[in-house]
Amino acid sequence: LRGLKITAEQATKAMLAMDKDVLPPGKLQLLITACPTPQEKDLITKGYSGATSDLAAAERFMRVVAIVPALKPRLELWSFKAGFFESVDVVQAGVTQVNKGLKVIESSRHLKTVLRVVLAVGNYINGSTKKGAAWGFKLSTLGKLKMLRSNDGKHNLMHFLAESVRTQFKDALEFLEELKEAEKGSENDTAWLKGESLKLASGVRRGGN
């Protein structure tokens, strides 16, 4: 709490008025971290009958600010509100990059050619088995192409596919250039973006109740 550099009375007044000049985001986080549990709050306000001056600095501070109704939820919602638009901008930028990357992949004519070669080779290898004559394959299969190796162990299926594309569909190699625009989208953690979006939606619902 030393980082606040204000008195408990000043903090209480700022919290009641939601004065962002006195309590900017950084100081809000300090208060949220230091907030007592309901049991600790009762112990400080109701369970202690001695002189306030006998309490440690942190307990004295919390004894004063404890008069603020719903102290911790109030601070958390205030902190959420303070960082809301910045968080929205970050998530929105990430989602935009991901969507742009997906559109690039979807529209890549040469990538489709490469994937058709992968499918054709897979169907040839699987022959008359139940995996043969497939109409498509899971993208996770691409990560397994290096696992199937030649008899001498020097080459794998990825090498064969790359050579097939290079010799028979040379133009398709341009897919690497086409997908450069999708790189920024791939740098985003979609699970994180989803989690942040849910947190923002949850915070908005809490603030509306």
Side-chain angles (χ1 to χ4, degrees):
L1 292 175
R2 291 179 181 176
L4 290 175
K5 297 181 180 178
I6 56 175
T7 66
E9 290 75 16
Q10 289 172 323
T12 300
K13 183 179 178 181
M15 282 187 274
L16 291 171
M18 296 186 71
D19 189 335
K20 63 181 180 181
D21 293 325
V22 177
L23 291 176
K27 291 186 177 182
L28 282 178
Q29 287 303 317
L30 283 175
L31 283 169
I32 290 171
T33 303
C35 266
T37 64
Q39 294 79 11
E40 290 171 337
K41 181 180 176 181
D42 286 342
L43 184 62
I44 295 171
T45 57
K46 300 176 183 178
Y48 179 75
S49 58
T52 301
S53 58
D54 291 338
L55 292 170
E59 282 73 23
R60 288 201 305 271
F61 189 96
M62 284 303 166
R63 183 178 173 88
V64 174
V65 301
I67 67 168
V68 178
L71 178 59
K72 189 169 185 177
R74 184 186 189 91
L75 292 173
E76 289 175 336
L77 285 174
W78 185 5
S79 177
F80 172 78
K81 178 183 176 183
F84 178 76
F85 291 107
E86 182 179 352
S87 297
V88 168
D89 287 344
V90 171
V91 172
Q92 195 170 47
V95 171
T96 298
Q97 288 181 343
V98 170
N99 285 336
K100 184 178 180 180
L102 290 173
K103 288 180 180 178
V104 169
I105 293 172
E106 186 178 10
S107 62
S108 174
R109 179 169 56 89
H110 296 304
L111 176 61
K112 291 175 184 177
T113 298
V114 172
L115 294 179
R116 281 197 290 269
V117 173
V118 174
L119 178 61
V121 171
N123 281 335
Y124 176 79
I125 292 175
N126 289 313
S128 59
T129 68
K130 63 180 181 179
K131 293 183 179 180
W135 289 95
F137 59 88
K138 294 181 179 179
L139 290 179
S140 58
T141 302
L142 296 175
K144 302 176 182 178
L145 296 178
K146 293 182 178 180
M147 297 172 62
L148 187 59
R149 307 190 69 83
S150 59
N151 291 333
D152 60 10
K154 294 181 178 180
H155 301 87
N156 56 48
L157 186 55
M158 181 72 80
H159 292 128
F160 175 77
L161 288 167
E163 184 63 18
S164 297
V165 172
R166 188 184 69 80
T167 56
Q168 301 178 48
F169 305 93
K170 190 174 181 179
D171 289 346
L173 292 176
E174 293 180 18
F175 85 94
L176 294 171
E177 191 66 28
E178 290 177 340
L179 296 188
K180 280 187 177 180
E181 288 296 317
E183 287 182 4
K184 289 185 178 179
S186 67
E187 293 171 358
N188 288 274
D189 185 336
T190 53
W192 181 85
L193 289 173
K194 181 179 179 180
E196 288 300 298
S197 297
L198 291 174
K199 282 167 60 177
L200 288 169
S202 175
V204 170
R205 285 195 297 271
R206 286 179 61 195
N209 292 334

